[in-house]
Amino acid sequence: MTPSRDTTEAICADIIATSARPLAQAQTLPRAAYLSEGYFAHEVEHVLSASWMCVAHVSQLPQIGSYLALDLLNEPLVVVRGNDNAVRVLSRVCPHRAADILHSCFETPEQAVTTRFLCPYHAWAFSLEGKKLASMHMDKAEGFDKGEWNLSEIRSAVWHGFVFVNLDGKASPLAEQYAKFGEAISPWSTAEMEVAISLEWECDFNWKVMVENWIESYHHMGAHVQTLQVTMPARSTWTEPEQPSFIHCHLPFRPSNAAEIRTAVAEGQTMPGFTAIAGLPVERQVEWGLYLGHPCFMFLTMRDRVLWYRLQPISAERCKLLTMTLVSKEAKLAPDYDATIVAETKMLADFHLEDMAVNTAVQAGLRSRHAVRGRLSHLEEPVWMIQRFIASHLQQTPSRQAAE
Ligand code: FES
Ligand SMILES: [Fe+2]
């Protein structure tokens, strides 16, 4: 249970003070930032809903009428490709009596192709663009305008093939926020890639435990000592200078691994894994590029694929995670593609299980009254950057502005 002195206001003040320390003095956030439902609600409103959150990749919506339903911060949403071929995000809340038109209780698929949406309650129908098409027996409702009563459209943006939403509608344009991020990943042509592997995880930990674990590589020497540490030792990882909207880290391979790749590239040899991304500079092939688009767009580049983790925070101590691998269209045509998928799915699950274990252990530790404020290594600079991003949003909240 969270101590009563941990009011949301006190937690916000603590986070703002903590993030103002220089990296050499950095420490972890107060445990209440990971446990308090009151603070989580504040974060939903002022950090998560105020930012851009990734919900889909265009390859998941391959044709007109393709849709994908998901719940994000208690908002039932559907991402859909309309008759004009544009991808939109609509609210699934029926404007009649508020039924979630694709709720799991109706046993409709989360992802499918349709020509229109039909509310199962009173059979109102909506187009792929959310426009109401039919509402029977409403002719005696005074002033009922048949041209109104559409599904609400949520503010969205497609960036390098990824579909993002901004729930409060007030964030600055995504293309501006992620401009430099987009330049860094452009050689991968992610808009042309396709989701090849998708694994779903129910997580009993706070969303920040997940993004902190994602973006720091100090833990290679513990959690991944027999896997990632072997090729990408923690001590060699480094972080680009701070940006307001994203974090970019480099995970260089050991010199012997890098030399093998340089030789293979120079001699045109095939390497294990998927078909390599065409035209990648060799310097980008001898490391993994690790990114966090604030607040929770987790993205990783490799020589033959990218990884994308979609995070749906649910409560202070729960979130849902989808871990996805995207490959090029050429990779899908390779003769050994099916065998590679089997091997890579196992590899991904194995190293991700190592992360799931430590994240679960951290949340369990945070529940203890013996959890102290830890100090951060210089290798955890990205964790400090996350604190600073969150604090920048908390500083802008109306309650604090009024108090100042
Ligand atoms: S609630 Fe959807 S048609 Fe009535
Ligand atoms: Fe990890």
Side-chain angles (χ1 to χ4, degrees):
M1 211 166 97
T2 308
S4 58
R5 69 174 177 279
D6 291 329
T7 62
T8 296
E9 198 177 345
I11 298 166
C12 292
D14 190 327
I15 293 171
I16 291 166
T18 302
S19 74
R21 292 167 167 234
L23 176 60
Q25 295 170 22
Q27 63 172 9
T28 57
L29 294 181
R31 54 190 278 265
Y34 303 86
L35 302 176
S36 159
E37 292 298 345
Y39 172 70
F40 176 73
H42 190 81
E43 215 169 42
V44 166
E45 187 177 349
H46 298 288
V47 180
L48 299 168
S49 300
S51 303
W52 290 96
M53 298 179 74
C54 191
V55 289
H57 182 264
V58 289
S59 66
Q60 296 171 303
L61 308 149
Q63 63 187 86
I64 287 171
S66 296
Y67 76 84
L68 183 161
L70 79 157
D71 295 340
L72 188 64
L73 307 178
N74 272 335
E75 287 296 344
L77 305 177
V78 60
V79 191
V80 56
R81 190 178 287 279
N83 288 299
D84 56 358
N85 215 26
V87 173
R88 291 179 181 77
V89 181
L90 305 174
S91 167
R92 303 198 312 258
V93 178
C94 181
H96 176 220
R97 295 254 302 279
D100 171 353
I101 60 171
L102 293 170
H103 194 278
S104 55
C105 65
F106 299 128
E107 294 180 7
T108 40
E110 275 181 20
Q111 199 170 349
V113 182
T114 188
T115 51
R116 61 180 189 157
F117 296 112
L118 186 70
C119 179
Y121 202 174
H122 311 92
W124 285 23
F126 305 91
S127 75
L128 300 176
E129 294 75 35
K131 186 165 173 32
K132 186 172 65 60
L133 301 173
S135 49
M136 303 287 277
H137 307 298
M138 293 300 294
D139 44 308
K140 292 186 181 163
E142 271 181 32
F144 182 81
D145 183 344
K146 284 195 159 196
E148 294 180 357
W149 308 100
N150 302 321
L151 296 174
S152 299
E153 183 170 348
I154 312 296
R155 186 181 183 211
S156 66
V158 179
W159 175 88
H160 290 259
F162 293 96
V163 185
F164 286 75
V165 290
N166 166 226
L167 293 180
D168 79 358
K170 297 182 203 155
S172 61
L174 182 65
E176 277 173 24
Q177 290 197 24
Y178 283 6
K180 288 190 175 154
F181 187 173
E183 283 169 26
I185 68 159
S186 65
W188 277 263
S189 303
T190 49
E192 307 304 319
M193 295 179 104
E194 296 184 8
V195 172
I197 305 172
S198 176
L199 303 171
E200 193 174 313
W201 311 80
E202 297 293 332
C203 308
D204 287 327
F205 40 80
N206 183 273
W207 71 276
K208 296 188 295 300
V209 170
M210 181 65 234
V211 293
E212 289 170 355
N213 167 264
W214 168 260
I215 200 64
E216 61 89 356
S217 303
Y218 181 34
H219 73 274
H220 284 197
M221 55 200 311
H224 303 304
V225 70
Q226 290 176 350
T227 52
L228 304 182
Q229 175 76 359
V230 177
T231 44
M232 291 167 288
R235 67 170 183 279
S236 308
T237 62
W238 60 282
T239 305
E240 294 274 359
E242 188 173 24
Q243 294 279 344
S245 302
F246 72 99
I247 302 173
H248 178 186
C249 305
H250 298 262
L251 279 55
F253 291 154
R254 280 183 198 273
S256 55
N257 300 106
E260 276 174 31
I261 292 174
R262 287 181 200 282
T263 307
V265 170
E267 296 178 359
Q269 298 164 6
T270 347
M271 280 177 274
F274 297 105
T275 307
I277 308 295
L280 277 189
V282 72
E283 290 313 314
R284 310 294 299 275
Q285 301 191 44
V286 294
E287 64 170 31
W288 284 8
L290 181 65
Y291 300 82
L292 177 68
H294 291 304
C296 57
F297 176 56
M298 292 173 269
F299 183 81
L300 176 85
T301 57
M302 297 163 67
R303 54 180 300 283
D304 60 345
R305 73 195 83 172
V306 302
L307 303 191
W308 159 48
Y309 284 16
R310 187 183 83 177
L311 190 63
Q312 293 157 264
I314 294 170
S315 65
E317 299 201 59
R318 276 186 63 218
C319 51
K320 181 174 165 180
L321 182 72
L322 248 65
T323 59
M324 280 171 274
T325 301
L326 288 88
V327 300
S328 67
K329 291 189 172 69
E330 297 73 52
K332 286 202 152 180
L333 299 173
D336 60 348
Y337 176 72
D338 290 341
T340 310
I341 282 286
V342 172
E344 296 299 333
T345 304
K346 180 179 180 328
M347 191 278 284
L348 278 172
D350 286 351
F351 93 71
H352 186 63
L353 281 169
E354 294 170 346
D355 287 313
M356 291 290 283
V358 291
N359 289 344
T360 305
V362 165
Q363 190 73 33
L366 287 166
R367 288 185 202 115
S368 163
R369 69 187 67 187
H370 295 291
V372 297
R373 306 288 287 274
R375 293 296 305 275
L376 299 182
S377 159
H378 70 280
L379 294 174
E380 293 170 291
E381 184 179 12
V383 173
W384 172 78
M385 288 177 174
I386 291 171
Q387 297 177 349
R388 292 162 64 78
F389 166 78
I390 292 171
S392 73
H393 276 267
L394 299 180
Q395 262 158 341
Q396 293 164 13
T397 63
S399 61
R400 284 202 60 77
Q401 282 165 356
E404 280 163 7

mmCIF file of all heavy atoms in Angstrom, residues 85-121:
data_model
loop_
_atom_site.group_PDB
_atom_site.id
_atom_site.type_symbol
_atom_site.label_atom_id
_atom_site.label_comp_id
_atom_site.label_asym_id
_atom_site.label_seq_id
_atom_site.Cartn_x
_atom_site.Cartn_y
_atom_site.Cartn_z
ATOM 1 N N ASN A 85 -8.435 5.028 -48.707
ATOM 2 C CA ASN A 85 -7.119 4.412 -48.454
ATOM 3 C C ASN A 85 -6.366 5.068 -47.293
ATOM 4 O O ASN A 85 -5.250 4.676 -46.983
ATOM 5 C CB ASN A 85 -6.248 4.433 -49.720
ATOM 6 C CG ASN A 85 -5.373 3.189 -49.802
ATOM 7 O OD1 ASN A 85 -5.723 2.146 -49.251
ATOM 8 N ND2 ASN A 85 -4.229 3.305 -50.442
ATOM 9 N N ALA A 86 -6.945 6.083 -46.664
ATOM 10 C CA ALA A 86 -6.277 6.730 -45.524
ATOM 11 C C ALA A 86 -6.525 5.908 -44.260
ATOM 12 O O ALA A 86 -7.581 5.288 -44.097
ATOM 13 C CB ALA A 86 -6.810 8.145 -45.337
ATOM 14 N N VAL A 87 -5.523 5.921 -43.364
ATOM 15 C CA VAL A 87 -5.671 5.223 -42.075
ATOM 16 C C VAL A 87 -6.156 6.237 -41.041
ATOM 17 O O VAL A 87 -5.591 7.323 -40.908
ATOM 18 C CB VAL A 87 -4.327 4.594 -41.645
ATOM 19 C CG1 VAL A 87 -4.428 4.026 -40.235
ATOM 20 C CG2 VAL A 87 -3.912 3.503 -42.625
ATOM 21 N N ARG A 88 -7.228 5.888 -40.343
ATOM 22 C CA ARG A 88 -7.778 6.759 -39.305
ATOM 23 C C ARG A 88 -7.882 5.983 -38.002
ATOM 24 O O ARG A 88 -7.876 4.750 -38.001
ATOM 25 C CB ARG A 88 -9.215 7.202 -39.657
ATOM 26 C CG ARG A 88 -9.319 8.126 -40.815
ATOM 27 C CD ARG A 88 -10.779 8.470 -41.097
ATOM 28 N NE ARG A 88 -10.858 9.361 -42.239
ATOM 29 C CZ ARG A 88 -10.718 8.959 -43.505
ATOM 30 N NH1 ARG A 88 -10.547 7.683 -43.774
ATOM 31 N NH2 ARG A 88 -10.771 9.837 -44.484
ATOM 32 N N VAL A 89 -8.063 6.727 -36.931
ATOM 33 C CA VAL A 89 -8.352 6.088 -35.646
ATOM 34 C C VAL A 89 -9.692 6.633 -35.184
ATOM 35 O O VAL A 89 -9.887 7.848 -35.083
ATOM 36 C CB VAL A 89 -7.245 6.364 -34.619
ATOM 37 C CG1 VAL A 89 -7.566 5.663 -33.300
ATOM 38 C CG2 VAL A 89 -5.892 5.889 -35.148
ATOM 39 N N LEU A 90 -10.647 5.725 -34.934
ATOM 40 C CA LEU A 90 -11.993 6.102 -34.509
ATOM 41 C C LEU A 90 -12.246 5.604 -33.093
ATOM 42 O O LEU A 90 -11.691 4.574 -32.680
ATOM 43 C CB LEU A 90 -13.042 5.476 -35.438
ATOM 44 C CG LEU A 90 -12.912 5.761 -36.941
ATOM 45 C CD1 LEU A 90 -13.939 4.933 -37.712
ATOM 46 C CD2 LEU A 90 -13.109 7.242 -37.219
ATOM 47 N N SER A 91 -13.115 6.310 -32.397
ATOM 48 C CA SER A 91 -13.599 5.788 -31.122
ATOM 49 C C SER A 91 -14.596 4.681 -31.431
ATOM 50 O O SER A 91 -15.375 4.784 -32.382
ATOM 51 C CB SER A 91 -14.303 6.904 -30.344
ATOM 52 O OG SER A 91 -15.019 6.330 -29.270
ATOM 53 N N ARG A 92 -14.576 3.608 -30.609
ATOM 54 C CA ARG A 92 -15.540 2.516 -30.803
ATOM 55 C C ARG A 92 -16.819 2.746 -30.017
ATOM 56 O O ARG A 92 -17.678 1.864 -29.954
ATOM 57 C CB ARG A 92 -14.929 1.182 -30.348
ATOM 58 C CG ARG A 92 -13.629 0.815 -31.042
ATOM 59 C CD ARG A 92 -13.319 -0.668 -30.875
ATOM 60 N NE ARG A 92 -13.439 -1.168 -29.530
ATOM 61 C CZ ARG A 92 -12.425 -1.408 -28.700
ATOM 62 N NH1 ARG A 92 -11.180 -1.173 -29.093
ATOM 63 N NH2 ARG A 92 -12.637 -1.896 -27.499
ATOM 64 N N VAL A 93 -16.942 3.918 -29.397
ATOM 65 C CA VAL A 93 -18.109 4.173 -28.541
ATOM 66 C C VAL A 93 -19.279 4.643 -29.403
ATOM 67 O O VAL A 93 -19.220 5.690 -30.049
ATOM 68 C CB VAL A 93 -17.774 5.219 -27.463
ATOM 69 C CG1 VAL A 93 -19.005 5.509 -26.608
ATOM 70 C CG2 VAL A 93 -16.625 4.727 -26.593
ATOM 71 N N CYS A 94 -20.351 3.855 -29.398
ATOM 72 C CA CYS A 94 -21.527 4.175 -30.215
ATOM 73 C C CYS A 94 -22.170 5.474 -29.713
ATOM 74 O O CYS A 94 -22.390 5.636 -28.503
ATOM 75 C CB CYS A 94 -22.522 3.025 -30.130
ATOM 76 S SG CYS A 94 -23.990 3.314 -31.115
ATOM 77 N N PRO A 95 -22.512 6.389 -30.629
ATOM 78 C CA PRO A 95 -23.124 7.656 -30.200
ATOM 79 C C PRO A 95 -24.590 7.512 -29.794
ATOM 80 O O PRO A 95 -25.221 8.493 -29.407
ATOM 81 C CB PRO A 95 -22.971 8.545 -31.444
ATOM 82 C CG PRO A 95 -22.892 7.608 -32.585
ATOM 83 C CD PRO A 95 -22.256 6.349 -32.065
ATOM 84 N N HIS A 96 -25.144 6.286 -29.837
ATOM 85 C CA HIS A 96 -26.520 6.095 -29.389
ATOM 86 C C HIS A 96 -26.571 5.900 -27.875
ATOM 87 O O HIS A 96 -26.862 6.815 -27.126
ATOM 88 C CB HIS A 96 -27.161 4.907 -30.129
ATOM 89 C CG HIS A 96 -28.546 4.594 -29.645
ATOM 90 N ND1 HIS A 96 -28.993 3.311 -29.480
ATOM 91 C CD2 HIS A 96 -29.557 5.408 -29.276
ATOM 92 C CE1 HIS A 96 -30.239 3.349 -29.037
ATOM 93 N NE2 HIS A 96 -30.604 4.616 -28.909
ATOM 94 N N ARG A 97 -26.197 4.715 -27.384
ATOM 95 C CA ARG A 97 -26.237 4.471 -25.939
ATOM 96 C C ARG A 97 -24.877 4.018 -25.420
ATOM 97 O O ARG A 97 -24.793 3.322 -24.417
ATOM 98 C CB ARG A 97 -27.312 3.437 -25.615
ATOM 99 C CG ARG A 97 -28.749 3.898 -25.930
ATOM 100 C CD ARG A 97 -29.548 4.250 -24.668
ATOM 101 N NE ARG A 97 -29.616 3.118 -23.758
ATOM 102 C CZ ARG A 97 -30.479 2.091 -23.870
ATOM 103 N NH1 ARG A 97 -31.380 2.086 -24.835
ATOM 104 N NH2 ARG A 97 -30.472 1.105 -23.001
ATOM 105 N N ALA A 98 -23.838 4.407 -26.146
ATOM 106 C CA ALA A 98 -22.457 4.279 -25.664
ATOM 107 C C ALA A 98 -21.880 2.867 -25.664
ATOM 108 O O ALA A 98 -20.838 2.627 -25.050
ATOM 109 C CB ALA A 98 -22.285 4.902 -24.279
ATOM 110 N N ALA A 99 -22.499 1.926 -26.356
ATOM 111 C CA ALA A 99 -21.893 0.580 -26.401
ATOM 112 C C ALA A 99 -20.563 0.628 -27.144
ATOM 113 O O ALA A 99 -20.417 1.369 -28.117
ATOM 114 C CB ALA A 99 -22.835 -0.390 -27.108
ATOM 115 N N ASP A 100 -19.625 -0.179 -26.671
ATOM 116 C CA ASP A 100 -18.361 -0.386 -27.399
ATOM 117 C C ASP A 100 -18.698 -1.346 -28.536
ATOM 118 O O ASP A 100 -18.990 -2.518 -28.303
ATOM 119 C CB ASP A 100 -17.323 -0.979 -26.435
ATOM 120 C CG ASP A 100 -16.053 -1.447 -27.130
ATOM 121 O OD1 ASP A 100 -16.005 -1.450 -28.375
ATOM 122 O OD2 ASP A 100 -15.111 -1.828 -26.410
ATOM 123 N N ILE A 101 -18.673 -0.859 -29.765
ATOM 124 C CA ILE A 101 -19.217 -1.644 -30.886
ATOM 125 C C ILE A 101 -18.390 -2.891 -31.223
ATOM 126 O O ILE A 101 -18.883 -3.779 -31.911
ATOM 127 C CB ILE A 101 -19.382 -0.774 -32.161
ATOM 128 C CG1 ILE A 101 -18.027 -0.201 -32.612
ATOM 129 C CG2 ILE A 101 -20.388 0.347 -31.919
ATOM 130 C CD1 ILE A 101 -18.080 0.473 -33.967
ATOM 131 N N LEU A 102 -17.139 -2.947 -30.741
ATOM 132 C CA LEU A 102 -16.309 -4.138 -31.014
ATOM 133 C C LEU A 102 -15.829 -4.765 -29.705
ATOM 134 O O LEU A 102 -14.749 -5.356 -29.650
ATOM 135 C CB LEU A 102 -15.097 -3.751 -31.881
ATOM 136 C CG LEU A 102 -15.382 -3.301 -33.310
ATOM 137 C CD1 LEU A 102 -14.127 -2.711 -33.953
ATOM 138 C CD2 LEU A 102 -15.890 -4.457 -34.161
ATOM 139 N N HIS A 103 -16.625 -4.636 -28.652
ATOM 140 C CA HIS A 103 -16.208 -5.179 -27.351
ATOM 141 C C HIS A 103 -16.005 -6.692 -27.483
ATOM 142 O O HIS A 103 -16.733 -7.369 -28.227
ATOM 143 C CB HIS A 103 -17.270 -4.863 -26.293
ATOM 144 C CG HIS A 103 -16.775 -5.091 -24.893
ATOM 145 N ND1 HIS A 103 -16.753 -6.336 -24.311
ATOM 146 C CD2 HIS A 103 -16.270 -4.234 -23.990
ATOM 147 C CE1 HIS A 103 -16.261 -6.243 -23.084
ATOM 148 N NE2 HIS A 103 -15.952 -4.974 -22.863
ATOM 149 N N SER A 104 -15.048 -7.206 -26.706
ATOM 150 C CA SER A 104 -14.753 -8.648 -26.798
ATOM 151 C C SER A 104 -15.963 -9.503 -26.445
ATOM 152 O O SER A 104 -16.075 -10.647 -26.891
ATOM 153 C CB SER A 104 -13.568 -8.995 -25.902
ATOM 154 O OG SER A 104 -13.827 -8.566 -24.584
ATOM 155 N N CYS A 105 -16.917 -8.953 -25.669
ATOM 156 C CA CYS A 105 -18.094 -9.755 -25.297
ATOM 157 C C CYS A 105 -18.939 -10.100 -26.526
ATOM 158 O O CYS A 105 -19.735 -11.028 -26.490
ATOM 159 C CB CYS A 105 -18.929 -9.052 -24.237
ATOM 160 S SG CYS A 105 -19.651 -7.534 -24.810
ATOM 161 N N PHE A 106 -18.798 -9.341 -27.607
ATOM 162 C CA PHE A 106 -19.543 -9.645 -28.837
ATOM 163 C C PHE A 106 -18.815 -10.685 -29.692
ATOM 164 O O PHE A 106 -19.305 -11.079 -30.750
ATOM 165 C CB PHE A 106 -19.757 -8.372 -29.667
ATOM 166 C CG PHE A 106 -20.545 -7.298 -28.952
ATOM 167 C CD1 PHE A 106 -20.053 -6.001 -28.866
ATOM 168 C CD2 PHE A 106 -21.773 -7.587 -28.380
ATOM 169 C CE1 PHE A 106 -20.767 -5.010 -28.216
ATOM 170 C CE2 PHE A 106 -22.502 -6.599 -27.727
ATOM 171 C CZ PHE A 106 -21.996 -5.310 -27.640
ATOM 172 N N GLU A 107 -17.642 -11.061 -29.244
ATOM 173 C CA GLU A 107 -16.828 -12.068 -29.945
ATOM 174 C C GLU A 107 -16.505 -11.672 -31.376
ATOM 175 O O GLU A 107 -16.368 -12.514 -32.259
ATOM 176 C CB GLU A 107 -17.483 -13.445 -29.872
ATOM 177 C CG GLU A 107 -17.510 -13.932 -28.431
ATOM 178 C CD GLU A 107 -18.144 -15.298 -28.246
ATOM 179 O OE1 GLU A 107 -18.457 -15.942 -29.257
ATOM 180 O OE2 GLU A 107 -18.309 -15.691 -27.081
ATOM 181 N N THR A 108 -16.395 -10.372 -31.624
ATOM 182 C CA THR A 108 -15.941 -9.914 -32.932
ATOM 183 C C THR A 108 -14.414 -9.926 -32.916
ATOM 184 O O THR A 108 -13.803 -9.650 -31.872
ATOM 185 C CB THR A 108 -16.447 -8.491 -33.235
ATOM 186 O OG1 THR A 108 -16.359 -7.729 -32.047
ATOM 187 C CG2 THR A 108 -17.848 -8.481 -33.746
ATOM 188 N N PRO A 109 -13.797 -10.236 -34.055
ATOM 189 C CA PRO A 109 -12.328 -10.294 -34.039
ATOM 190 C C PRO A 109 -11.700 -8.926 -33.803
ATOM 191 O O PRO A 109 -12.260 -7.912 -34.224
ATOM 192 C CB PRO A 109 -11.970 -10.819 -35.437
ATOM 193 C CG PRO A 109 -13.180 -10.645 -36.259
ATOM 194 C CD PRO A 109 -14.366 -10.565 -35.357
ATOM 195 N N GLU A 110 -10.537 -8.920 -33.133
ATOM 196 C CA GLU A 110 -9.818 -7.662 -32.878
ATOM 197 C C GLU A 110 -9.243 -7.089 -34.160
ATOM 198 O O GLU A 110 -9.009 -5.892 -34.271
ATOM 199 C CB GLU A 110 -8.638 -7.910 -31.922
ATOM 200 C CG GLU A 110 -9.010 -7.869 -30.482
ATOM 201 C CD GLU A 110 -7.805 -8.095 -29.580
ATOM 202 O OE1 GLU A 110 -6.656 -7.915 -30.017
ATOM 203 O OE2 GLU A 110 -8.037 -8.475 -28.418
ATOM 204 N N GLN A 111 -8.956 -7.978 -35.097
ATOM 205 C CA GLN A 111 -8.318 -7.546 -36.335
ATOM 206 C C GLN A 111 -8.983 -8.311 -37.471
ATOM 207 O O GLN A 111 -9.045 -9.543 -37.441
ATOM 208 C CB GLN A 111 -6.817 -7.881 -36.265
ATOM 209 C CG GLN A 111 -5.987 -7.115 -37.236
ATOM 210 C CD GLN A 111 -4.488 -7.284 -36.986
ATOM 211 O OE1 GLN A 111 -4.077 -7.828 -35.954
ATOM 212 N NE2 GLN A 111 -3.683 -6.838 -37.909
ATOM 213 N N ALA A 112 -9.524 -7.607 -38.475
ATOM 214 C CA ALA A 112 -10.213 -8.262 -39.591
ATOM 215 C C ALA A 112 -10.405 -7.252 -40.706
ATOM 216 O O ALA A 112 -9.829 -6.169 -40.682
ATOM 217 C CB ALA A 112 -11.558 -8.823 -39.110
ATOM 218 N N VAL A 113 -11.235 -7.639 -41.690
ATOM 219 C CA VAL A 113 -11.576 -6.721 -42.785
ATOM 220 C C VAL A 113 -13.091 -6.615 -42.805
ATOM 221 O O VAL A 113 -13.797 -7.615 -42.643
ATOM 222 C CB VAL A 113 -11.069 -7.262 -44.149
ATOM 223 C CG1 VAL A 113 -11.396 -6.278 -45.260
ATOM 224 C CG2 VAL A 113 -9.573 -7.539 -44.098
ATOM 225 N N THR A 114 -13.604 -5.388 -42.962
ATOM 226 C CA THR A 114 -15.044 -5.192 -42.970
ATOM 227 C C THR A 114 -15.408 -4.134 -44.023
ATOM 228 O O THR A 114 -14.527 -3.446 -44.544
ATOM 229 C CB THR A 114 -15.544 -4.771 -41.571
ATOM 230 O OG1 THR A 114 -16.968 -4.767 -41.564
ATOM 231 C CG2 THR A 114 -15.042 -3.385 -41.174
ATOM 232 N N THR A 115 -16.697 -4.023 -44.303
ATOM 233 C CA THR A 115 -17.134 -2.956 -45.217
ATOM 234 C C THR A 115 -17.759 -1.815 -44.430
ATOM 235 O O THR A 115 -17.903 -0.706 -44.924
ATOM 236 C CB THR A 115 -18.166 -3.483 -46.228
ATOM 237 O OG1 THR A 115 -19.194 -4.155 -45.488
ATOM 238 C CG2 THR A 115 -17.510 -4.461 -47.192
ATOM 239 N N ARG A 116 -18.157 -2.091 -43.176
ATOM 240 C CA ARG A 116 -18.757 -1.067 -42.324
ATOM 241 C C ARG A 116 -18.759 -1.604 -40.887
ATOM 242 O O ARG A 116 -18.507 -2.790 -40.660
ATOM 243 C CB ARG A 116 -20.182 -0.742 -42.749
ATOM 244 C CG ARG A 116 -21.060 -1.955 -42.661
ATOM 245 C CD ARG A 116 -22.483 -1.711 -43.054
ATOM 246 N NE ARG A 116 -23.246 -2.908 -42.725
ATOM 247 C CZ ARG A 116 -24.529 -2.958 -42.515
ATOM 248 N NH1 ARG A 116 -25.257 -1.862 -42.614
ATOM 249 N NH2 ARG A 116 -25.129 -4.072 -42.206
ATOM 250 N N PHE A 117 -19.050 -0.720 -39.942
ATOM 251 C CA PHE A 117 -19.159 -1.147 -38.542
ATOM 252 C C PHE A 117 -20.630 -1.139 -38.143
ATOM 253 O O PHE A 117 -21.357 -0.186 -38.451
ATOM 254 C CB PHE A 117 -18.368 -0.199 -37.636
ATOM 255 C CG PHE A 117 -16.893 -0.216 -37.908
ATOM 256 C CD1 PHE A 117 -16.255 0.895 -38.462
ATOM 257 C CD2 PHE A 117 -16.128 -1.344 -37.628
ATOM 258 C CE1 PHE A 117 -14.890 0.882 -38.725
ATOM 259 C CE2 PHE A 117 -14.759 -1.370 -37.882
ATOM 260 C CZ PHE A 117 -14.143 -0.258 -38.437
ATOM 261 N N LEU A 118 -21.052 -2.199 -37.482
ATOM 262 C CA LEU A 118 -22.442 -2.308 -37.057
ATOM 263 C C LEU A 118 -22.476 -2.432 -35.542
ATOM 264 O O LEU A 118 -21.847 -3.340 -34.978
ATOM 265 C CB LEU A 118 -23.066 -3.563 -37.685
ATOM 266 C CG LEU A 118 -24.552 -3.765 -37.455
ATOM 267 C CD1 LEU A 118 -25.374 -2.726 -38.230
ATOM 268 C CD2 LEU A 118 -24.952 -5.173 -37.877
ATOM 269 N N CYS A 119 -23.175 -1.527 -34.873
ATOM 270 C CA CYS A 119 -23.287 -1.645 -33.417
ATOM 271 C C CYS A 119 -24.222 -2.803 -33.096
ATOM 272 O O CYS A 119 -25.374 -2.817 -33.538
ATOM 273 C CB CYS A 119 -23.807 -0.350 -32.800
ATOM 274 S SG CYS A 119 -23.979 -0.517 -31.000
ATOM 275 N N PRO A 120 -23.765 -3.780 -32.307
ATOM 276 C CA PRO A 120 -24.593 -4.959 -32.042
ATOM 277 C C PRO A 120 -25.814 -4.668 -31.161
ATOM 278 O O PRO A 120 -26.687 -5.521 -31.041
ATOM 279 C CB PRO A 120 -23.640 -5.918 -31.323
ATOM 280 C CG PRO A 120 -22.276 -5.381 -31.547
ATOM 281 C CD PRO A 120 -22.430 -3.909 -31.709
ATOM 282 N N TYR A 121 -25.890 -3.483 -30.533
ATOM 283 C CA TYR A 121 -26.987 -3.237 -29.588
ATOM 284 C C TYR A 121 -28.309 -2.909 -30.310
ATOM 285 O O TYR A 121 -29.288 -3.644 -30.205
ATOM 286 C CB TYR A 121 -26.562 -2.102 -28.638
ATOM 287 C CG TYR A 121 -27.297 -2.053 -27.308
ATOM 288 C CD1 TYR A 121 -26.910 -1.152 -26.322
ATOM 289 C CD2 TYR A 121 -28.364 -2.915 -27.036
ATOM 290 C CE1 TYR A 121 -27.569 -1.092 -25.105
ATOM 291 C CE2 TYR A 121 -29.029 -2.860 -25.820
ATOM 292 C CZ TYR A 121 -28.634 -1.950 -24.850
ATOM 293 O OH TYR A 121 -29.283 -1.889 -23.646
#
